[in-house]
Coordinates of all heavy atoms in Angstrom, one line a residue:
L2 N 0.9 -1.2 0.0 CA 0.0 0.0 0.0 C 0.9 1.2 0.0 O 1.7 1.5 0.9 CB -0.9 0.0 1.2 CG -1.8 -1.2 1.5 CD1 -2.8 -0.8 2.6 CD2 -2.6 -1.5 0.2
S3 N 0.8 2.0 -1.0 CA 1.7 3.2 -1.1 C 0.9 4.4 -1.8 O -0.3 4.3 -1.8 CB 2.9 2.8 -2.0 OG 2.5 2.5 -3.3
D4 N 1.6 5.3 -2.2 CA 1.0 6.5 -2.9 C 1.1 6.5 -4.4 O 1.2 7.6 -5.0 CB 1.6 7.8 -2.3 CG 1.2 8.1 -0.9 OD1 0.2 7.4 -0.4 OD2 1.8 8.9 -0.2
V5 N 1.2 5.3 -5.0 CA 1.2 5.1 -6.4 C 0.1 4.2 -6.8 O -0.3 3.3 -6.1 CB 2.6 4.6 -7.0 CG1 3.7 5.6 -6.7 CG2 3.0 3.3 -6.3
E6 N -0.5 4.5 -8.0 CA -1.6 3.7 -8.5 C -1.2 2.3 -9.0 O -2.0 1.4 -9.0 CB -2.3 4.4 -9.6 CG -3.0 5.7 -9.2 CD -3.6 6.4 -10.3 OE1 -2.9 6.9 -11.2 OE2 -4.9 6.6 -10.3
G7 N 0.0 2.2 -9.4 CA 0.5 0.9 -10.0 C 1.6 1.2 -11.0 O 2.2 2.3 -11.0
V8 N 1.8 0.3 -11.9 CA 2.8 0.5 -13.0 C 2.0 0.9 -14.3 O 1.0 0.2 -14.7 CB 3.6 -0.8 -13.3 CG1 4.5 -0.6 -14.4 CG2 4.3 -1.3 -12.0
Y9 N 2.4 2.0 -14.9 CA 1.8 2.5 -16.1 C 2.5 1.9 -17.3 O 3.6 1.7 -17.4 CB 1.9 4.0 -16.2 CG 1.0 4.7 -15.1 CD1 1.7 5.3 -14.0 CD2 -0.3 4.8 -15.2 CE1 0.9 6.0 -13.0 CE2 -1.1 5.5 -14.2 CZ -0.4 6.0 -13.1 OH -1.2 6.7 -12.2
K10 N 1.6 1.8 -18.4 CA 2.1 1.2 -19.7 C 3.1 2.2 -20.3 O 4.1 1.7 -20.9 CB 1.0 1.0 -20.6 CG 0.2 -0.3 -20.4 CD -0.7 -0.6 -21.6 CE -1.3 -2.0 -21.4 NZ -2.3 -2.3 -22.5
D11 N 3.0 3.5 -20.1 CA 3.8 4.5 -20.7 C 4.7 5.2 -19.7 O 4.9 6.4 -19.9 CB 3.0 5.4 -21.6 CG 2.2 4.7 -22.6 OD1 2.8 3.9 -23.4 OD2 1.0 4.9 -22.7
G12 N 5.0 4.6 -18.6 CA 5.8 5.3 -17.6 C 5.0 6.1 -16.7 O 3.8 6.0 -16.7
K13 N 5.8 7.0 -16.0 CA 5.1 7.7 -14.9 C 4.0 8.8 -15.4 O 3.2 9.2 -14.7 CB 6.1 8.5 -14.0 CG 6.9 9.5 -14.8 CD 7.9 10.2 -13.9 CE 8.7 11.3 -14.6 NZ 9.6 12.0 -13.7
D14 N 4.2 9.1 -16.7 CA 3.2 10.1 -17.2 C 2.0 9.4 -18.0 O 1.2 10.0 -18.6 CB 3.9 11.0 -18.3 CG 5.0 11.9 -17.6 OD1 4.7 12.3 -16.4 OD2 6.0 12.1 -18.1
G15 N 2.1 8.1 -17.9 CA 1.0 7.3 -18.6 C -0.3 7.4 -17.8 O -0.4 7.8 -16.7
K16 N -1.4 6.9 -18.5 CA -2.7 6.9 -17.8 C -3.3 5.5 -17.6 O -4.1 5.3 -16.8 CB -3.6 7.7 -18.8 CG -3.3 9.2 -18.9 CD -4.5 10.0 -19.1 CE -4.3 11.5 -19.4 NZ -3.3 12.1 -18.7
Q17 N -2.8 4.5 -18.4 CA -3.3 3.2 -18.3 C -2.4 2.3 -17.4 O -1.2 2.2 -17.7 CB -3.4 2.5 -19.7 CG -4.2 1.2 -19.7 CD -4.5 0.7 -21.0 OE1 -4.2 1.3 -22.0 NE2 -5.0 -0.5 -21.1
I18 N -3.0 1.8 -16.4 CA -2.3 0.9 -15.4 C -2.2 -0.5 -16.0 O -3.2 -1.0 -16.5 CB -3.0 0.9 -14.1 CG1 -2.9 2.3 -13.4 CG2 -2.4 -0.1 -13.1 CD1 -3.7 2.4 -12.2
I19 N -1.0 -1.2 -15.9 CA -0.9 -2.5 -16.2 C -1.4 -3.4 -15.1 O -1.0 -3.3 -14.0 CB 0.6 -2.9 -16.5 CG1 1.2 -2.0 -17.6 CG2 0.7 -4.4 -16.8 CD1 2.7 -2.2 -17.8
S20 N -2.5 -4.2 -15.4 CA -3.2 -5.0 -14.3 C -2.3 -6.1 -13.9 O -2.3 -6.4 -12.7 CB -4.5 -5.5 -14.8 OG -5.4 -4.4 -15.1
E21 N -1.7 -6.8 -14.8 CA -0.8 -8.0 -14.4 C 0.5 -7.8 -15.2 O 0.5 -7.6 -16.4 CB -1.5 -9.3 -14.8 CG -2.6 -9.6 -13.8 CD -3.2 -11.1 -14.1 OE1 -3.2 -11.5 -15.2 OE2 -3.6 -11.7 -13.1
L22 N 1.6 -8.1 -14.5 CA 2.9 -7.9 -15.1 C 3.8 -9.1 -14.7 O 4.0 -9.4 -13.5 CB 3.5 -6.6 -14.6 CG 4.8 -6.1 -15.1 CD1 4.7 -5.8 -16.6 CD2 5.2 -4.8 -14.4
T23 N 4.4 -9.8 -15.7 CA 5.3 -10.9 -15.3 C 6.6 -10.3 -15.0 O 7.0 -9.2 -15.2 CB 5.4 -11.8 -16.5 OG1 6.0 -11.1 -17.6 CG2 4.1 -12.4 -17.0
V24 N 7.4 -11.2 -14.3 CA 8.8 -10.7 -13.8 C 9.6 -10.4 -15.0 O 10.3 -9.3 -14.9 CB 9.4 -11.9 -13.0 CG1 10.9 -11.7 -12.9 CG2 8.7 -12.1 -11.7
S25 N 9.6 -11.2 -16.1 CA 10.5 -10.9 -17.2 C 10.0 -9.5 -17.9 O 10.8 -8.7 -18.3 CB 10.4 -11.9 -18.3 OG 9.1 -12.2 -18.7
S26 N 8.7 -9.2 -17.9 CA 8.2 -8.0 -18.5 C 8.5 -6.8 -17.6 O 8.9 -5.7 -18.1 CB 6.6 -8.0 -18.6 OG 6.2 -9.0 -19.5
A27 N 8.5 -7.0 -16.3 CA 8.9 -6.0 -15.4 C 10.4 -5.6 -15.6 O 10.7 -4.4 -15.6 CB 8.7 -6.4 -13.9
R28 N 11.3 -6.6 -15.7 CA 12.7 -6.4 -15.9 C 12.9 -5.6 -17.3 O 13.7 -4.7 -17.3 CB 13.4 -7.7 -15.9 CG 13.6 -8.3 -14.6 CD 14.7 -9.4 -14.6 NE 15.0 -9.9 -13.3 CZ 14.7 -11.1 -12.9 NH1 14.1 -12.0 -13.7 NH2 15.0 -11.5 -11.7
Q29 N 12.1 -6.0 -18.2 CA 12.2 -5.3 -19.6 C 11.8 -3.8 -19.4 O 12.4 -3.0 -20.0 CB 11.3 -6.0 -20.6 CG 11.6 -5.6 -22.0 CD 12.9 -6.1 -22.5 OE1 13.3 -7.2 -22.4 NE2 13.7 -5.2 -23.1
L30 N 10.8 -3.5 -18.6 CA 10.3 -2.2 -18.5 C 11.3 -1.3 -17.8 O 11.5 -0.1 -18.0 CB 9.0 -2.1 -17.8 CG 7.7 -2.7 -18.5 CD1 6.5 -2.7 -17.6 CD2 7.5 -1.9 -19.8
I31 N 12.0 -1.9 -16.8 CA 13.1 -1.2 -16.2 C 14.3 -0.9 -17.1 O 14.8 0.2 -17.2 CB 13.7 -2.0 -15.0 CG1 12.6 -2.1 -13.8 CG2 15.0 -1.4 -14.4 CD1 13.0 -3.0 -12.7
E32 N 14.6 -1.9 -17.9 CA 15.7 -1.8 -18.9 C 15.4 -0.7 -19.9 O 16.2 0.1 -20.4 CB 16.0 -3.1 -19.6 CG 16.8 -4.1 -18.8 CD 17.0 -5.4 -19.5 OE1 16.9 -5.4 -20.8 OE2 17.1 -6.4 -18.8
N33 N 14.1 -0.7 -20.3 CA 13.7 0.3 -21.4 C 13.4 1.7 -20.8 O 13.1 2.6 -21.6 CB 12.4 -0.2 -22.1 CG 12.6 -1.5 -22.8 OD1 13.8 -1.8 -23.2 ND2 11.5 -2.2 -23.2
G34 N 13.5 1.9 -19.5 CA 13.3 3.2 -18.9 C 11.9 3.6 -18.7 O 11.6 4.7 -18.3
V35 N 10.9 2.6 -18.8 CA 9.5 2.9 -18.6 C 9.3 3.0 -17.1 O 8.6 3.9 -16.7 CB 8.6 1.8 -19.2 CG1 7.1 2.0 -18.9 CG2 8.8 1.8 -20.8
I36 N 9.9 2.1 -16.4 CA 9.8 2.2 -14.9 C 11.1 2.9 -14.5 O 12.2 2.5 -14.8 CB 9.9 0.7 -14.3 CG1 8.6 0.0 -14.6 CG2 10.0 0.8 -12.8 CD1 8.5 -1.5 -14.2
Q37 N 10.9 4.0 -13.7 CA 12.0 4.9 -13.4 C 11.9 5.3 -11.9 O 11.0 5.0 -11.2 CB 11.9 6.2 -14.2 CG 11.9 6.0 -15.7 CD 11.7 7.3 -16.4 OE1 11.4 8.3 -15.8 NE2 11.8 7.3 -17.7
G38 N 13.0 5.9 -11.4 CA 13.1 6.5 -10.1 C 12.8 5.6 -9.0 O 13.2 4.5 -8.9
G39 N 12.0 6.1 -8.0 CA 11.7 5.3 -6.8 C 10.9 4.1 -7.1 O 10.8 3.2 -6.2
M40 N 10.3 4.0 -8.3 CA 9.5 2.7 -8.5 C 10.4 1.5 -8.8 O 10.1 0.4 -8.7 CB 8.6 2.9 -9.8 CG 7.7 1.8 -10.1 SD 6.6 1.3 -8.8 CE 5.2 2.4 -9.2
I41 N 11.7 1.8 -9.2 CA 12.6 0.7 -9.6 C 12.9 -0.1 -8.3 O 12.8 -1.4 -8.4 CB 14.0 1.3 -10.2 CG1 13.7 1.9 -11.5 CG2 15.0 0.2 -10.3 CD1 14.9 2.6 -12.2
P42 N 13.3 0.4 -7.2 CA 13.6 -0.5 -6.1 C 12.3 -1.2 -5.6 O 12.4 -2.3 -5.1 CB 14.1 0.5 -5.0 CG 13.8 1.8 -5.4 CD 13.7 1.8 -6.9

């Protein structure tokens, strides 16, 4: 429980939340810079 809605498809400025995310997809989003900043840890 935090102050973020979840992981967005288009990064922190996105509007659509990804409902389910696999581990490999999550790693890919970090590598691609979609997941940034405090969301990475």
Side-chain angles (χ1 to χ4, degrees):
L2 302 190
S3 62
D4 289 346
V5 294
E6 294 178 294
V8 178
Y9 292 104
K10 277 190 173 177
D11 303 311
K13 63 179 182 179
D14 297 323
K16 297 211 185 319
Q17 189 173 353
I18 293 171
I19 302 172
S20 296
E21 287 187 328
L22 186 62
T23 62
V24 165
S25 59
S26 297
R28 287 196 173 109
Q29 194 67 51
L30 290 176
I31 291 173
E32 285 177 24
N33 294 344
V35 175
I36 295 174
Q37 302 175 352
M40 184 60 88
I41 292 176

